[in-house]
Amino acid sequence: MKLVIASNNKGKIREYKQLLEPLGYEVISQSEAGIDLNVEETGSTFAENSALKARAAYKLCGCAVLADDSGLEIDALNGEPGVYSARYGGLDSDAERTALVLDRLKNVPNDKRGANFTCTIHFIKTNGEEIAVEGKVFGKIGYEPVGENGFGYDPIFMYGDKSFAQVDPETKNSVSHRANALKKLIGALKSDN
Ligand code: IMP
C-alpha cells in the first residue's frame, strides 16, 4: 500500500521508512509524491498541527497519508520548546537550538533535568477515515551534545547513560516517541480489519 508521509524532514522520513517498510508499506515522502506543501503549523498542540498537515496532504493526493508533529518538552522549562521545537528561539540550526537549551538549563541540577519527546501521528486512510495517536519517550537533558546519529535534539537527550545520538538507529526506532505512536497506530489499523 502506498503511503505518503506529509513531511519534508529527511530525518523523520528515514525513520518512518525504517519503521513501516518492514510491515509492507511503500513509504514515500511528499516530494516523491509530487506534492508541494508547506503547511503553517498554527496549532497550539502537537495533535492540532499533525491534523492540519495530514488534511492538507490528503486534499492534494487523495491517497493514504501520515502526518506527525513532534518535539521536545523539558520539565524545568515548563514544557518548552514544545510545539516550537523546530524554531526554538527563532534559531536556524539544530546546533544553535541545542546550545540554547543547554544554556537555559545551566543552573538546573541533574534530578531536575527530566524531559520527553512527544509525537502525535494523524493518519488518513484512502477512504478519508482519520486516526490520531500520541507516543512519548522519557529521558533527561545532558550537559553537552554527544553522538553522531539522529537529528534535532538527539545529542542532548539522554536515554539512560547514552544520548539518542549515541544509540544505534535500531534501538532509537524501537523506543522512540515516534515508534510508540506508530505502535498505537498499527494497533488501531489492525483492530479495524
Ligand atoms: P516537526 O517537524 O514540526 O515535528 O518538528 C519537530 C522538531 O522537534 C524537529 O525539528 C526537532 O528539532 C525536534 N524533534 C522531533 N523529533 C525528534 C527526534 O526524534 N530527535 C530529535 N529531535 C526531534
Side-chain angles (χ1 to χ4, degrees):
M1 179 181 95
K2 185 171 282 187
L3 176 60
V4 172
I5 309 293
S7 171
N8 290 318
N9 179 321
K10 290 201 175 77
K12 276 197 207 171
I13 302 220
R14 186 178 60 238
E15 289 186 5
Y16 277 119
K17 284 196 178 188
Q18 288 164 348
L19 290 162
L20 286 166
E21 286 188 344
L23 301 172
Y25 290 95
E26 188 201 337
V27 176
I28 59 172
S29 67
Q30 66 179 38
S31 59
E32 286 169 325
I35 297 175
D36 184 16
L37 193 68
N38 217 338
V39 179
E40 233 189 296
E41 299 186 9
T42 51
S44 58
T45 63
F46 295 118
E48 283 170 19
N49 283 335
S50 47
L52 280 176
K53 289 186 272 189
R55 288 173 190 149
Y58 182 75
K59 249 191 207 163
L60 289 179
C61 81
C63 65
V65 300
L66 182 160
D68 76 5
D69 200 42
S70 55
L72 178 66
E73 296 181 319
I74 299 173
D75 301 347
L77 300 179
N78 296 318
E80 281 188 15
V83 291
Y84 302 108
S85 292
R87 48 207 148 116
Y88 193 43
L91 297 167
D92 288 335
S93 71
D94 285 337
E96 289 172 297
R97 289 185 287 264
T98 51
L100 176 62
V101 165
L102 291 177
D103 187 56
R104 295 205 167 155
L105 292 186
K106 64 176 183 280
N107 296 319
V108 176
N110 194 36
D111 63 338
K112 301 249 168 10
R113 296 177 78 93
N116 73 83
F117 277 123
T118 296
C119 173
T120 57
I121 294 180
H122 204 90
F123 186 90
I124 306 184
K125 296 183 187 177
T126 312
N127 68 8
E129 204 181 308
E130 303 190 5
I131 301 174
V133 292
E134 179 183 272
K136 286 182 183 279
V137 61
F138 294 87
K140 276 186 167 186
I141 302 301
Y143 292 88
E144 57 178 4
V146 279
E148 302 298 327
N149 300 329
F151 68 100
Y153 298 94
D154 281 342
I156 58 167
F157 185 81
M158 303 305 294
Y159 185 71
D161 60 356
K162 285 186 176 169
S163 81
F164 253 10
Q166 286 178 306
V167 299
D168 57 84
E170 290 72 29
T171 305
K172 181 181 172 192
N173 285 341
S174 64
V175 301
S176 75
H177 47 319
R178 229 173 322 283
N180 289 332
L182 204 53
K183 279 175 205 155
K184 290 189 190 169
L185 174 70
I186 290 163
L189 287 170
K190 278 188 185 151
S191 69
D192 247 20
N193 295 327

